[in-house]
């Protein structure tokens, strides 16, 4: 069960059985997903699940790419370049997998409660990171060819 | 006039997505096993092979279940398990890469 911070002025007496003391911030247990709202349209639920799976496949692709860079490419012009690129890809993959579940749950909760879907900065983060890693890889390749 | 909702096609697409994910597990994480076999002569590859097998089974279960009912069950635990397993595979890949004998050449 996940814990979310709640401002003190939003904690009602009815929440006492769910509340966990955590000074200086109070924390509240989130109710299970199936206790929230009503069942949404099955198509939306499944689309959300497919998005979750797509993020996990992206994560697996990043992991495989990282391993390929580390162990299949010849060394670059300066020591550790392969490892730096590989580690960045692998960390990005692991973070993608880790964050895919909270993103799915937030969207599912919003669907069940009839709220607008929460915005996510994660696609921008992944796109920016992959772009930066690509630039570093291009620079390392140029250095290798120049040397 | 009410719109008739047919979850058949979305359910089928979702089952196919689970199949693709299982295949990605086998291909992507299979690379980790291959690397571990090469670098560590199979010592640590056994644990990774077990993890990959378990992850593939997790991905195969939803691909086999028919979910065309009016309210397809949500399985947060299964999704959590899948995401955590992928993350653990990432951690294993990270450690294997960092501690590879030629990591800083």
């Amino acid at each position: 069960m996940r814990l979310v911070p709640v401002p003190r002025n939003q904690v009602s007496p009815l929440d006492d059985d769910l509340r966990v003391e955590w000074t200086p911030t109070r924390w509240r247990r989130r109710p299970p997903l199936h206790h929230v709202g009503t069942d949404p349209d099955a198509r939306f639920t499944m689309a959300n699940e497919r998005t979750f799976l797509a993020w996990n496949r992206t994560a697996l692709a990043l992991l495989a790419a990282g391993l390929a860079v580390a162990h299949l490419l010849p060394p670059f012009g300066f020591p550790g370049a392969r490892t730096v690129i590989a580690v960045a890809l692998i960390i990005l993959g692991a973070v993608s997998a880790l964050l895919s579940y909270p993103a799915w749950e937030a969207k599912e909760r919003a669907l069940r409660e009839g709220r607008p879907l929460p915005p996510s900065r994660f696609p921008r983060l992944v796109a920016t990171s992959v772009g930066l890693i690509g630039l570093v890889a291009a620079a390392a390749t140029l250095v290798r060819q120049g040397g | 006039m009410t719109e008739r909702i047919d979850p058949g096609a979305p359910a089928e697409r979702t089952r196919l997505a689970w199949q693709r994910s299982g295949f990605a597990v086998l291909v992507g994480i299979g690379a980790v096993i291959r690397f571990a076999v090469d670098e560590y002569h199979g010592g640590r590859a056994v644990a990774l092979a077990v993890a990959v097998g378990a992850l593939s089974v997790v991905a195969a279960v939803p691909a086999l279940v028919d979910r065309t009912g009016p309210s397809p069950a949500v399985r947060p635990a299964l999704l959590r398990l899948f995401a955590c397993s992928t993350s653990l595979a990432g951690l294993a890949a990270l450690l294997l890469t960092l501690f590879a004998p030629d990591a800083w050449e």
Side-chain angles (χ1 to χ4, degrees):
Chain A
M1 184 173 279
R2 294 183 57 210
L3 300 175
V4 291
V6 178
R8 285 177 184 276
N9 60 0
Q10 289 184 13
V11 178
S12 71
L14 294 175
D15 291 331
D16 280 349
D17 57 332
L18 296 172
R19 198 177 62 208
V20 176
E21 291 296 336
W22 187 283
T23 53
T25 311
R26 291 188 178 185
W27 296 76
R28 183 174 64 186
R29 289 183 190 280
R30 278 187 165 182
L33 207 53
H34 57 276
H35 290 173
V36 175
T38 55
D39 283 343
D41 186 331
R43 293 171 297 183
F44 299 151
T45 299
M46 289 177 177
N48 190 25
E49 195 171 311
R50 287 197 298 274
T51 307
F52 164 84
L53 290 171
W55 275 111
N56 270 273
R57 284 197 299 276
T58 304
L60 288 164
L62 289 166
L63 296 184
L67 286 169
V69 166
H71 306 293
L72 298 180
L73 290 184
F76 287 115
F78 44 95
R82 276 185 313 173
T83 302
V84 168
I85 294 169
V87 164
L89 285 169
I90 290 170
I91 288 177
L92 191 59
V95 169
S96 299
L98 268 183
L99 294 183
S100 63
Y101 180 77
W104 172 84
E105 193 189 349
K107 289 187 177 72
E108 194 70 19
R109 209 170 276 276
L111 282 173
R112 295 185 69 88
E113 292 175 345
R115 290 186 285 109
L117 294 182
S120 173
R121 295 179 197 157
F122 196 51
R124 185 180 300 171
L125 172 73
V126 171
T128 309
S129 304
V130 170
L132 287 175
I133 293 168
L135 286 176
V136 172
T141 305
L142 288 174
V143 168
R144 181 172 62 187
Q145 288 181 346
Chain B
M1 182 175 149
T2 55
E3 184 190 359
R4 184 173 177 274
I5 298 172
D6 178 12
E12 198 170 316
R13 279 205 302 273
T14 307
R15 291 169 73 182
L16 287 171
W18 277 103
Q19 280 187 0
R20 281 199 303 275
S21 299
F23 187 67
V25 168
L26 286 177
V27 172
I29 309 303
V32 181
I33 294 179
R34 173 66 193 273
F35 164 67
V37 168
D38 287 349
E39 293 290 332
Y40 300 103
H41 308 291
R44 301 178 195 182
V46 176
L48 284 169
V50 171
V52 170
L55 198 50
S56 306
V57 170
V58 169
V61 169
L64 295 173
V65 176
D66 184 22
R67 298 172 63 196
T68 52
S71 173
V74 177
R75 294 176 303 275
L78 189 68
L79 299 185
R80 260 200 305 265
L81 182 63
F82 195 69
C84 287
S85 307
T86 311
S87 306
L88 284 177
L91 184 64
L94 185 65
L95 293 175
L96 289 170
T97 301
L98 282 176
F99 294 106
D102 61 345
W104 303 102
E105 288 178 4

